[in-house]
Amino acid sequence: MGIVTLTLNPAIDKSTSIDRLVPEHKLRCENPKFEAGGGGINVSKAIHKLGGESLAIFPAGGPTGTLLIDLLQEDKITCKAVPTEQWTRENFIVVEHSTNAQYRFGMPGPQLSEIEAQACLEAIKAAHPDYLVASGSLPPGLPTDFYARVAKLAKEINARLILDTSGEPLKLAANEGVFLLKPNVGELSKMVGVETLETDDVDDAAKEIINRGDCGIVVVSMGPAGALLVTKDGHEHIPAPTVLKKSTVGAGDSMVAGMTWSLANGKTPQEMVRMGVACGSAATMNSGTQLFKMEDVRKLYDWICTYSTRYTHPNI
């Protein structure tokens, strides 16, 4: 299997909209929309949009778990659900028409037992992926070093691990060693033990992680400023085009999907990050929980390719 995504804390994203959010009132909502959510699941959905294939592995339980599987099958996403005793969580998103503000209510997720977590690892091993994307938060019940266990497994089965998480799980997994990390500047600061990083220090911090053997590639997400690609050979800033932002939901997962799809198709690291930034930027152009439109991705990718050369480091 080329690409496998792992989502340890998946969710049903239930969204609706109202005219105005008013406390102590009975609010009339529009018909709800249900979508399969969670970091790795969103990555698989975005890879499908790009014309690629992946296997989405995740735990699922109860009626909400059944709905999650049904939604993915409707979207033609190949998946492997690990049965769990507790129900899959639901998140709730409300858009307020009068202000265009979005309110996102995220639930903590069910407890995942050691047996259920081990079953997820066994499903990965059985899939024999070339690229393994682990994305999203850990559910209650799992230790903070669980992504480190995933990293160790990836090395054992010769899979290239792409990790997108935060906090102590990110740091511990990086210590185990991964192929590609996608921290933001704040997460990178914590990884190198400083409170904040100035823009000019970001590349040195990423190189520190690479030089100590924690990973081969670091892609630092910099929001509207784009991303910084750092390898042992050098670094390159990939600018983000200016777009009319409607929502940031799914932008990070779209970026990871663009990068993973590019790697699986033999693209260079520069092409990989350019596609990632194009997908992430395109996702912000859509409201609600939509990901991106391919026509937007193509236009933004062309823009990035045209203007990126002025930011290229000569040694990369």
Side-chain angles (χ1 to χ4, degrees):
M1 184 71 199
I3 302 171
V4 168
T5 65
L6 174 65
T7 311
L8 291 166
N9 201 13
I12 297 295
D13 288 332
K14 183 177 180 179
S15 59
T16 188
S17 56
I18 58 172
D19 180 55
R20 196 159 61 94
L21 198 61
V22 182
E24 307 295 337
H25 281 66
K26 190 173 184 177
L27 305 175
R28 302 293 180 182
C29 302
E30 295 186 3
N31 288 333
K33 183 177 182 181
F34 299 89
E35 294 176 284
I41 285 174
N42 286 334
V43 172
S44 278
K45 289 163 65 176
I47 287 172
H48 184 72
K49 278 180 168 284
L50 290 165
E53 293 293 332
S54 67
L55 171 66
I57 294 175
F58 54 87
T64 46
T66 300
L67 176 58
L68 179 66
I69 296 167
D70 290 344
L71 290 170
L72 287 170
Q73 290 176 341
E74 286 176 15
D75 288 338
K76 296 181 171 53
I77 306 298
T78 305
C79 62
K80 168 64 178 174
V82 173
T84 60
E85 184 177 341
Q86 295 192 13
W87 290 20
T88 298
R89 66 181 175 137
E90 285 185 294
N91 291 331
F92 188 47
I93 301 112
V94 179
V95 175
E96 188 180 54
H97 286 309
S98 59
T99 61
N100 204 33
Q102 185 183 76
Y103 298 88
R104 300 165 65 184
F105 303 89
M107 307 304 165
Q111 290 269 343
L112 203 63
S113 72
E114 174 60 30
I115 293 174
E116 293 163 348
Q118 185 60 38
C120 291
L121 297 181
E122 292 299 325
I124 293 169
K125 190 184 296 185
H128 300 290
D130 298 311
Y131 292 93
L132 171 61
V133 181
S135 179
S137 61
L138 292 175
L142 288 189
T144 55
D145 69 346
F146 190 81
Y147 276 135
R149 290 170 58 184
V150 173
K152 185 177 180 181
L153 173 63
K155 287 189 287 187
E156 290 173 359
I157 62 176
N158 200 29
R160 293 180 170 183
L161 176 61
I162 298 169
L163 181 63
D164 185 17
T165 189
S166 59
E168 194 68 9
L170 171 64
K171 188 174 181 179
L172 293 174
N175 290 342
E176 182 66 37
V178 303
F179 174 68
L180 186 152
L181 288 177
K182 191 199 76 70
N184 59 33
V185 177
E187 290 159 355
L188 181 62
S189 302
K190 294 175 184 176
M191 292 182 71
V192 296
V194 298
E195 186 141 343
T196 58
L197 283 170
E198 299 297 328
T199 302
D200 292 342
D201 298 327
V202 172
D203 59 321
D204 290 332
K207 285 175 185 174
E208 179 183 328
I209 294 171
I210 292 172
N211 290 338
R212 67 192 188 195
D214 291 350
C215 68
I217 302 173
V218 177
V219 178
V220 186
S221 175
M222 303 175 74
L228 186 71
L229 163 66
V230 184
T231 71
K232 61 181 178 59
D233 298 317
H235 63 274
E236 177 180 340
H237 174 232
I238 288 75
T242 301
V243 299
L244 180 61
K245 185 174 74 173
K246 294 183 179 179
S247 172
T248 59
V249 177
D253 296 326
S254 295
M255 181 179 180
V256 172
M259 293 194 297
T260 307
W261 176 87
S262 297
L263 288 170
N265 282 276
K267 304 298 184 182
T268 66
Q270 291 93 337
E271 291 171 323
M272 167 195 74
V273 182
R274 290 172 188 176
M275 178 57 77
V277 172
C279 291
S281 298
T284 68
M285 298 168 66
N286 293 321
S287 59
T289 55
Q290 298 178 58
L291 293 175
F292 53 74
K293 297 174 183 174
M294 276 308 301
E295 57 265 34
D296 293 331
V297 170
R298 294 189 190 99
K299 289 177 185 176
L300 297 180
Y301 182 78
D302 289 343
W303 183 94
I304 292 167
C305 289
T306 300
Y307 288 93
S308 277
T309 51
R310 69 179 65 177
Y311 299 97
T312 303
H313 191 283
N315 293 331
I316 197 167

